Each structure stands twice: as C-alpha cells, then as structure tokens.
Amino acid sequence: YLYPCNSGFFITLKLLTNNSDFYRQEMNKYGIGINVLNTDHIRICFSSVDINDLQYLFNTLYSVASNGK
C-alpha cells in the first residue's frame, strides 16, 4: 500500500508482510538506503534522488518486492 506523499520528499509504503528489515538489507545491496519505520512500513526519501535515477530506484524496489519473502 502506498500512502499519499503530498510533501514531495518521502514515500511511505506499507508492506504486505512483516519483513521491512529484509527490504532494507536488499536495497542496501544496490546502494539504496531506506528507513524502516516498523516491521511492515518502509520510507524512502526520493527528493534526494537525481531525476535520472528514479527509474532505477523504483525498478529495484519492484525487483526486491517481487523476490521478497
């Protein structure tokens, strides 16, 4: 679930499972840091990502989610 991100700085996602630390570890392998809010929520600061790298960010997130536990 994607929460509204009206500020334009962060995006918060509610995961379908309680494995937010798995996401943090996997995204870190690709050089992407994310914040773990609790067991089923992660937060990404996309305002600090260059516009040319946004596709990589979201493709990587999708890939990790597709292979997630």
Side-chain angles (χ1 to χ4, degrees):
Y1 176 79
L2 170 64
Y3 290 100
C5 49
N6 60 1
S7 68
F9 293 100
F10 298 96
I11 186 172
T12 301
L13 301 165
K14 180 175 179 6
L15 306 174
L16 297 175
T17 58
N18 293 330
N19 60 358
S20 58
D21 198 52
F22 168 79
Y23 278 78
R24 182 190 59 76
Q25 292 173 13
E26 290 299 306
M27 295 294 283
N28 193 48
K29 291 177 184 177
Y30 296 96
I32 300 170
I34 63 171
N35 293 340
V36 171
L37 299 179
N38 55 38
T39 59
D40 64 347
H41 286 84
I42 60 173
R43 187 166 117 167
I44 301 169
C45 179
F46 66 89
S47 65
S48 64
V49 178
D50 187 278
I51 194 166
N52 296 319
D53 295 329
L54 285 175
Q55 187 72 43
Y56 175 74
L57 169 67
F58 290 109
N59 284 345
T60 304
L61 183 60
Y62 178 80
S63 176
V64 168
S66 296
N67 298 317
K69 297 177 182 177

